[in-house]
Amino acid sequence: MKTRRELLQYAGAALAALPFAKTFAQSRPRRTSPGAIVVSTWNFGMQANDAAWKILGSGGHALDAVIAGVGVPEADPKNTSVGYGGLPDRDGHVTLDACVMDENGKAGSVACVENIVHVAALARKVMEKTPHVMLVGEGAQRFALANGFPKTNLLTPESEKAWREWLKTARYKPVANIENHDTIGMLALDAAGNLSGACTTSGMAYKMHGRVGDSPLIGAGLYVDNEVGAATSTGLGEEVIKICGSHVVVEQMRLGKSPEEACRIAVERIIKKNPVKRDDLQVGFLALNKHGEHGAYCILKGFQYAVRSGAQNILIDGKSHFA
Ligand code: SD4
């Protein structure tokens, strides 16, 4: 227990240090104009980056780029983890979550939406056409149909088959990097130097009906601050929500941390609450700062992210807490 005197000394020292606390710009001064860049989670981010680059590479807006980019896995029936063809909840419903955020700090989000493929684009519509940030369930679907989004059965025969197989045991135990690598988070910096992000998922396979993870939650699955940087997450959403993960990452970058260091700090907050290695507990954070520097950090080995800038599109292994 600290004495009153010690506490006063501590507060005095903290106050005295304030004028010297470095801002993001002071600790990470810009060298040259960074140029456009896009980063996204998992290996399917490669194709998504290519689609985003069609917009970014011709001087387009970061928000347009991320919506186009994540639209690729959303529409891919072979991707059992995002959008169309996503694995359903335990009752056989494919329910999608997504959010977007732009350089002005505007945000839109949808959660637990059925029968709509392009939910990141739908989240953008919520941002642009409603006084709200988030619509869920039936209301979100109704808003989508009213805005011309087609109604599509998202449960493909393959995903239905996998679900029927799962029903034989009906055991909810996501396998790290397999059943729970079901999100694409994408962050882009455009040629004008503005940041935007999108995050879209079918959520954890065989979740309870109505379960919503971190992906559509601003500050958890995605956060963008155009003065500093942007972050997104993937993995076990419940743990990300509990630390407001993507917001933590951006705030650490604001304090001068590199994107990778900022992601590591967020992962360590989760580890502090869950110190024992578990094969069902994977979380990865991905960050991009205002200068075009990127980095990632995850709990278990196996998380990858894709980076495209110019003609180069590469896949990078995120560093992990556990080997
Ligand atoms: C969720 N975070 O619904 C998502 C799932 C995910 O990689 O990202 N998996 O919790």
Side-chain angles (χ1 to χ4, degrees):
M1 182 91 173
K2 287 199 173 2
T3 63
R4 187 179 138 80
R5 186 191 177 87
E6 280 170 334
L7 280 175
L8 284 174
Q9 275 172 348
Y10 177 78
L15 279 176
L18 265 183
F20 303 107
K22 285 186 175 166
T23 63
F24 169 73
Q26 286 166 330
S27 61
R28 307 195 78 75
R30 169 172 274 183
R31 289 176 296 273
T32 53
S33 166
I37 182 166
V38 57
V39 299
S40 57
T41 55
W42 302 109
N43 55 2
F44 50 73
M46 297 287 280
Q47 260 188 305
N49 283 0
D50 286 340
W53 194 258
K54 287 196 180 129
I55 292 168
L56 283 180
S58 50
H61 183 205
L63 184 64
D64 292 333
V66 294
I67 303 249
V70 302
V72 174
E74 280 180 339
D76 181 358
K78 289 199 213 73
N79 184 324
T80 57
S81 56
V82 181
Y84 180 57
L87 290 169
D89 64 22
R90 66 186 194 186
D91 299 338
H93 298 269
V94 181
T95 65
L96 306 182
D97 301 335
C99 71
V100 298
M101 204 165 174
D102 75 3
E103 76 273 15
N104 299 311
K106 286 194 290 175
S109 161
V110 291
C112 207
V113 189
E114 295 185 54
N115 302 314
I116 305 294
V117 174
H118 290 299
V119 280
L122 180 60
R124 180 185 190 161
K125 277 269 187 279
V126 172
M127 174 175 100
E128 291 176 343
K129 294 190 75 171
T130 79
H132 309 304
V133 169
M134 189 168 196
L135 292 180
V136 305
E138 214 273 310
Q141 189 183 147
R142 210 184 317 152
F143 175 73
L145 299 176
N147 280 279
F149 286 75
K151 189 168 181 178
T152 309
N153 175 12
L154 302 175
L155 188 66
T156 56
E158 292 74 25
S159 289
E160 183 174 358
K161 195 170 157 217
W163 167 62
R164 293 203 180 279
E165 196 53 39
W166 175 81
L167 279 178
K168 290 181 186 161
T169 57
R171 190 160 161 256
Y172 182 73
K173 191 168 188 316
V175 181
N177 301 326
I178 301 176
E179 276 162 11
N180 60 1
H181 83 288
D182 41 13
T183 297
I184 182 158
M186 178 177 270
L187 313 169
L189 180 70
D190 61 27
N194 287 320
L195 288 159
S196 287
C199 187
T200 176
T201 188
S202 52
M204 305 303 283
Y206 317 128
K207 60 195 174 185
M208 288 175 71
H209 185 62
R211 179 266 187 192
V212 171
D214 57 323
S215 305
L217 301 183
I218 298 296
L222 178 73
Y223 197 68
V224 177
D225 184 323
N226 206 38
E227 287 179 6
V228 174
T232 188
S233 63
T234 179
L236 190 60
E238 280 74 4
E239 296 306 319
V240 177
I241 292 170
K242 287 187 266 183
I243 64 150
C244 298
S246 292
H247 188 256
V248 166
V249 175
V250 171
E251 291 309 301
Q252 288 299 321
M253 291 195 287
R254 191 190 308 281
L255 295 174
K257 299 287 190 293
S258 72
E260 184 185 305
E261 285 166 344
C263 291
R264 181 176 51 76
I265 288 167
V267 162
E268 282 169 358
R269 288 203 187 172
I270 295 176
I271 295 294
K272 205 166 172 192
K273 298 188 170 87
N274 304 272
V276 179
K277 185 178 180 186
R278 280 172 26 204
D279 63 3
D280 65 337
L281 176 48
Q282 170 66 311
V283 168
F285 290 103
L286 171 61
L288 175 67
N289 72 15
K290 184 77 176 163
H291 305 334
E293 298 163 336
H294 51 84
Y297 207 84
C298 55
I299 297 180
L300 302 175
K301 247 174 108 162
F303 170 58
Q304 296 181 306
Y305 70 101
V307 182
R308 174 139 189 191
S309 177
Q312 200 186 43
N313 196 15
I314 52 170
L315 203 55
I316 297 180
D317 288 323
K319 287 201 188 137
S320 58
H321 180 82
F322 291 113

